[in-house]
Amino acid sequence: MPPRLNIVVPIKRVIDFAIKPRISAAKNAIETNGVKFSMNPFCEIAIEEAVRLRESSKDLVESITLVSAGSAKIQDTLRAGLALGADKATLIDIPAIDDSKSLELEPLAVAKLLKAFVEKSNANLVIMGKQAIDDDSNQTGQMLAGLLNWSQATNASKVTVDEASGVVTVAREVDGGTETVSAPLPLVITTDLRLNTPRYTKLQDIMKAKKKKTEKITPEDLGVDVTSRLEIVSLSEPPKRTGGGKADSVDALIGKLKGVGAI
Amino acid sequence: MSASFRPLLRHVLAKRCTPLSTNPSVRYASSFQWQDPVLLDTLLTDEERAISDAARRYCQGSLMPRVLEGYRDETFDKNIMLELGELGFLGPTIEGYGCSAVSSVAYGLIAREVERVDSGYRSAMSVQSSLVMLPLEMFGNDEQRGRFLPDLAKGKIIGCFGLTEPNHGSDPGSMETVARPHPTKEGVYLLSGAKNWITNSPIADVLLVWAKLDGVIRGFLVERSKAGPGLATPQIKGKTALRASVTGMINMDDVEVAKENMLPDIQGLKGPFSCLNSARYGIAWGTIGALEGALALARQYALDRKQFKSNPLAKYQLIQKKLADALTDISYGLLACVQVGRLKDAGKVEPEMIGMIKRHNCDRALENTRKLMEIFGGNATSDEYHIGRIAANLFVVQTYEGQSDIHALALGRAITGINAFY
């Protein structure tokens, strides 16, 4: 009997990609007061991929569950994900995190939360963004696969599921080109930009999403301690660009490059 | 359904981390969000916020890339109606028939996002939603609703609203288009007359034409496929505004309309005026969207363009005043729209309220955009800077659905009890 996919899609609420981030007056965090937030773009690509798998073959996908950790503010983001086609959502409530404190969960803490949640939900496939556009860590998916002891295929640009065998083939974008890997389920896939183009949300689906279930749980329910193990010592903007110089001959150019240690 | 989201995202991801401090003029940063000056989200329901976000995504990703060419070449891509339909943006307040029964505020938010891109696009949408679908809901019978609404909602058929005539604009009551019973065929009316400045008419499949039957204004659903050679809908070309939307005439010479296509329950100006009320309400929101678009463009230009001592234009006081004035009118305009939208859904709205916000928001949007245009200098004349198109469009938005002076008279009459129209 061909395997049915029980997909978990972890998502993250981040500062909207169109907003320029600023460092807060206290100089130890990014300013989030009054700033527009939305779903991490790579997470949208993950949801879209899960929905496309469902649309590609009747009965292939059993369920698509969203999960996100943070304060109650992420409800909007989860609802947006439900409107994109997920079936249900779980909010891992961590009230200590709210916008004005700009506290962030660390990738390892998130990976531990997700491991517990994935095991609880009997999922056999995790599709998630390769990184969040706020911290650009690109760690959580890999850590999650390690904790679960599952196969992983990161930076996916194409996903194919062989329904008969349950083997998933993933084309990955790597520095040198494209690498194709395959593994049987269960598996963690992280999405890269070119995997798909998310659809526009329909009004009808926003209305339908209101009826879909969102449950709230806590890190304690999952038996995970999310205390930060890292401390942000300081945060600063990149140094101002200083002017360049002109070299009037090839020798002068080589001399300058050597002078700054570039060659 | 394809999206231009990805190139937009890649472009912005590349630009995203440019810190403010590379711009030597910036010294002040505050929590005040100029893009959302009165935290409108706090006045909206979760659903309305989600709808506004979805509308903005689609409009910026899919309509914005088309508007420059559409306006330049005076072409309207009919697929836009299908796309709007598929996303549920047509007739969103209607219950049933594939529509979503969302709030009036949600409808306004959609209009705001569409008009942030172009007033012509929003005109096409308003006509379909408020001036064709809504009269069917309010005044049509079940048979008519079932026949037309589902396909109108999907954008598969396009509608238009024929009220204005070449000789009767502000005074629709004196219209000359007439309907008379067919001399020999039972249950058929013949319509004759001309309508002018009708958005969508050259591409409309169903035309809601208002005509006098025995001296009383009635609404007739003219179907192009059944109208015969007496119906002509020539496009008005060479317009200086709303060029990205299609406008035309409706010329009728004994066009046959079955009596099943007459709106049964409404007579007189009440019919068209009820529809216009809803469209006007959407326009009050939309015109602010246009002004928001203009402000964002002007602000960016002022930050980028440098004159005298490498100062960006944004450093100069006269420039900042123009931006401040526009932002203020945006804020007040949006607050009025939300309140009127809530009153509308509570059944407490009066037409004068809608006329008032339409008039004021259009007047402010037009005047502010013309001032913002000055920031661009000569570049305002290049359509690639968009500001000229927005200002040109806003002149028409101020004019149609009740020119500002006409709304002033309606308000004056309501205030004093004295009719000053004529």
Side-chain angles (χ1 to χ4, degrees):
Chain A
M1 157 126 162
R4 297 191 69 196
L5 301 177
N6 193 340
I7 308 177
V8 165
V9 180
I11 64 175
K12 187 176 184 186
R13 175 177 180 263
V14 297
I15 294 180
D16 187 86
F17 72 76
I19 306 284
K20 283 191 187 152
R22 286 183 292 106
I23 296 179
S24 73
K27 289 223 174 287
N28 61 356
I30 300 289
E31 180 63 68
T32 55
N33 206 9
V35 169
K36 180 166 159 55
F37 279 73
S38 44
M39 192 186 308
N40 182 39
F42 293 104
C43 300
E44 287 176 354
I45 293 173
I47 298 175
E48 175 71 24
E49 196 61 23
V51 173
R52 285 191 189 191
L53 282 170
R54 164 174 275 159
E55 289 169 349
S56 72
S57 170
K58 193 166 120 64
D59 294 334
L60 173 62
V61 172
E62 164 124 22
S63 71
I64 302 172
T65 307
L66 303 176
V67 60
S68 192
S71 71
K73 291 183 188 189
I74 59 181
Q75 282 280 18
D76 271 1
T77 315
L78 286 168
R79 249 181 251 114
L82 291 171
L84 281 169
D87 303 318
K88 50 188 159 71
T90 297
L91 196 169
I92 306 176
D93 193 16
I94 307 177
I97 292 171
D98 66 38
D99 285 352
S100 58
K101 294 206 180 80
S102 296
L103 261 173
E104 278 182 50
L105 286 175
E106 290 157 11
L108 183 56
V110 176
K112 287 178 181 172
L113 286 169
L114 292 178
K115 169 193 189 281
F117 180 75
V118 164
E119 285 173 343
K120 230 171 70 116
S121 14
N122 282 319
N124 55 6
L125 179 61
V126 173
I127 308 180
M128 57 195 285
K130 70 171 183 179
Q131 66 199 61
I133 61 172
D134 49 12
D135 58 15
D136 283 330
S137 295
N138 200 331
Q139 297 172 11
T140 311
Q142 294 89 323
M143 288 176 172
L144 174 61
L147 290 171
L148 284 169
N149 203 27
W150 285 12
S151 309
Q152 60 176 275
T154 58
N155 301 30
S157 64
K158 190 165 160 62
V159 171
T160 329
V161 176
D162 183 319
E163 288 183 63
S165 59
V167 168
V168 182
T169 304
V170 177
R172 311 177 52 230
E173 293 187 353
V174 296
D175 286 344
T178 310
E179 179 189 50
T180 307
V181 297
S182 60
L185 299 165
L187 168 71
V188 173
I189 297 174
T190 74
T191 65
D192 210 328
L193 200 57
R194 278 156 286 276
L195 177 57
N196 62 48
T197 305
R199 63 198 62 196
Y200 291 118
T201 306
K202 296 182 186 183
L203 217 108
Q204 305 88 314
D205 292 339
I206 293 173
M207 308 304 284
K208 278 193 216 151
K210 284 170 28 171
K211 302 199 187 90
K212 295 182 182 176
K213 274 184 48 203
T214 305
E215 63 158 4
K216 236 193 215 185
I217 60 178
T218 64
E220 291 72 43
D221 293 334
L222 296 171
V224 175
D225 176 8
V226 296
T227 318
S228 299
R229 301 156 91 230
L230 304 170
E231 179 202 336
I232 294 176
V233 172
S234 76
L235 212 65
S236 61
E237 285 174 4
K240 266 200 223 182
R241 286 182 70 146
T242 50
K246 274 190 190 173
D248 50 14
S249 71
V250 173
D251 287 332
L253 174 63
I254 293 175
K256 288 213 168 166
L257 287 172
K258 281 188 174 162
V260 296
I263 50 169
Chain B
M1 163 106 348
S2 72
S4 304
F5 168 74
R6 192 195 293 147
L8 173 72
L9 170 60
R10 256 195 250 136
H11 167 75
V12 172
L13 281 174
K15 284 186 69 164
R16 202 171 113 78
C17 287
T18 311
L20 286 174
S21 62
T22 54
N23 184 333
S25 295
V26 173
R27 287 182 195 92
Y28 181 78
S30 86
S31 294
F32 177 77
Q33 295 292 319
W34 66 269
Q35 297 102 318
D36 187 13
V38 287
L39 302 186
L40 195 72
D41 279 358
T42 57
L43 296 173
L44 305 178
T45 63
D46 295 334
E47 179 182 306
E48 286 162 353
R49 271 201 303 277
I51 293 170
S52 179
D53 283 346
R56 184 173 305 195
R57 272 288 197 87
Y58 166 72
C59 293
Q60 293 298 312
S62 191
L63 292 181
M64 194 68 204
R66 284 186 261 204
V67 74
L68 182 55
E69 203 179 307
Y71 193 87
R72 206 180 259 180
D73 298 342
E74 233 180 347
T75 54
F76 177 72
D77 181 359
K78 276 168 71 169
N79 283 326
I80 290 173
M81 298 305 281
L82 285 168
E83 290 167 23
L84 289 169
E86 195 186 323
L87 295 174
F89 293 148
L90 297 174
T93 55
I94 292 172
E95 183 152 3
Y97 307 99
C99 303
S100 301
V102 299
S103 68
S104 294
V105 169
Y107 173 53
L109 290 164
I110 295 170
R112 174 184 175 221
E113 292 312 322
V114 176
E115 195 155 355
R116 194 190 298 267
V117 176
D118 186 74
S119 304
Y121 288 156
R122 196 269 311 132
S123 301
M125 186 209 71
S126 291
V127 161
Q128 186 96 340
S129 299
S130 288
L131 300 181
V132 182
M133 293 176 74
L134 190 69
L136 274 162
E137 190 196 32
M138 289 198 296
F139 309 125
N141 56 34
D142 284 336
E143 187 275 326
Q144 290 164 338
R145 286 194 282 260
R147 204 166 12 125
F148 294 111
L149 278 177
D151 281 342
L152 284 167
K154 293 192 187 107
K156 277 178 155 180
I157 57 175
I158 297 178
C160 74
F161 180 87
L163 179 69
T164 300
E165 298 187 352
N167 292 330
H168 303 284
S170 297
D171 177 23
S174 306
M175 67 170 70
E176 295 167 53
T177 303
V178 291
R180 62 187 173 101
H182 194 288
T184 52
K185 290 189 202 174
E186 271 287 314
V188 174
Y189 292 106
L190 294 174
L191 265 57
S192 293
K195 299 291 184 184
N196 202 12
W197 300 119
I198 308 300
T199 298
N200 291 349
S201 82
I203 55 172
D205 304 293
V206 60
L207 304 87
L208 174 53
V209 175
W210 302 91
K212 281 184 175 167
L213 177 64
D214 295 326
V216 176
I217 294 174
R218 305 299 299 267
F220 296 89
L221 296 155
V222 177
E223 292 177 77
R224 188 186 295 277
S225 56
K226 300 180 180 150
L231 174 70
T233 54
Q235 185 178 358
I236 298 170
K237 293 204 158 178
K239 305 203 303 280
T240 57
L242 297 193
R243 290 171 58 88
S245 121
V246 181
T247 320
M249 298 191 70
I250 303 175
N251 291 329
M252 295 168 292
D253 186 6
D254 278 344
V255 167
E256 290 189 16
V257 180
K259 77 172 192 317
E260 289 77 29
N261 281 21
M262 186 173 75
L263 292 177
D265 293 328
I266 195 71
Q267 299 178 20
L269 279 175
K270 180 164 187 252
F273 279 9
S274 309
C275 312
L276 289 170
N277 222 17
S278 162
R280 230 167 249 160
Y281 162 76
I283 289 167
W285 281 93
T287 196
I288 295 297
L291 180 56
E292 287 179 287
L295 174 61
L297 288 163
R299 172 189 173 275
Q300 193 56 53
Y301 184 89
L303 287 169
D304 294 338
R305 170 88 174 177
K306 298 181 165 54
Q307 288 288 275
F308 301 115
K309 295 185 178 180
S310 302
N311 286 331
L313 297 189
K315 189 167 169 27
Y316 295 107
Q317 293 176 348
L318 295 174
I319 302 285
Q320 289 206 357
K321 181 179 185 304
K322 290 172 176 148
L323 302 174
D325 288 343
L327 187 67
T328 308
D329 286 335
I330 287 168
S331 305
Y332 281 65
L334 284 173
L335 290 170
C337 285
V338 174
Q339 171 65 354
V340 171
R342 298 290 178 224
L343 290 174
K344 195 165 187 288
D345 286 339
K348 294 182 179 166
V349 82
E350 298 296 336
E352 287 86 353
M353 294 179 196
I354 296 179
M356 181 174 74
I357 62 171
K358 189 265 177 190
R359 172 176 179 259
H360 189 76
N361 285 359
C362 286
D363 284 355
R364 302 319 307 143
L366 176 61
E367 189 176 321
N368 276 299
T369 302
R370 284 173 169 166
K371 285 247 166 280
L372 293 172
M373 216 162 109
E374 293 168 7
I375 296 174
F376 290 75
N379 283 324
T381 57
S382 164
D383 62 4
E384 290 181 13
Y385 287 85
H386 300 291
I387 194 78
R389 165 177 62 84
I390 300 173
N393 282 342
L394 284 171
F395 170 75
V396 178
V397 180
Q398 185 202 42
T399 306
Y400 68 16
E401 305 265 353
Q403 206 273 348
S404 290
D405 290 344
I406 298 295
H407 285 303
L409 295 183
L411 278 170
R413 177 178 58 190
I415 296 169
T416 61
I418 302 173
N419 176 1
F421 279 87
Y422 49 84

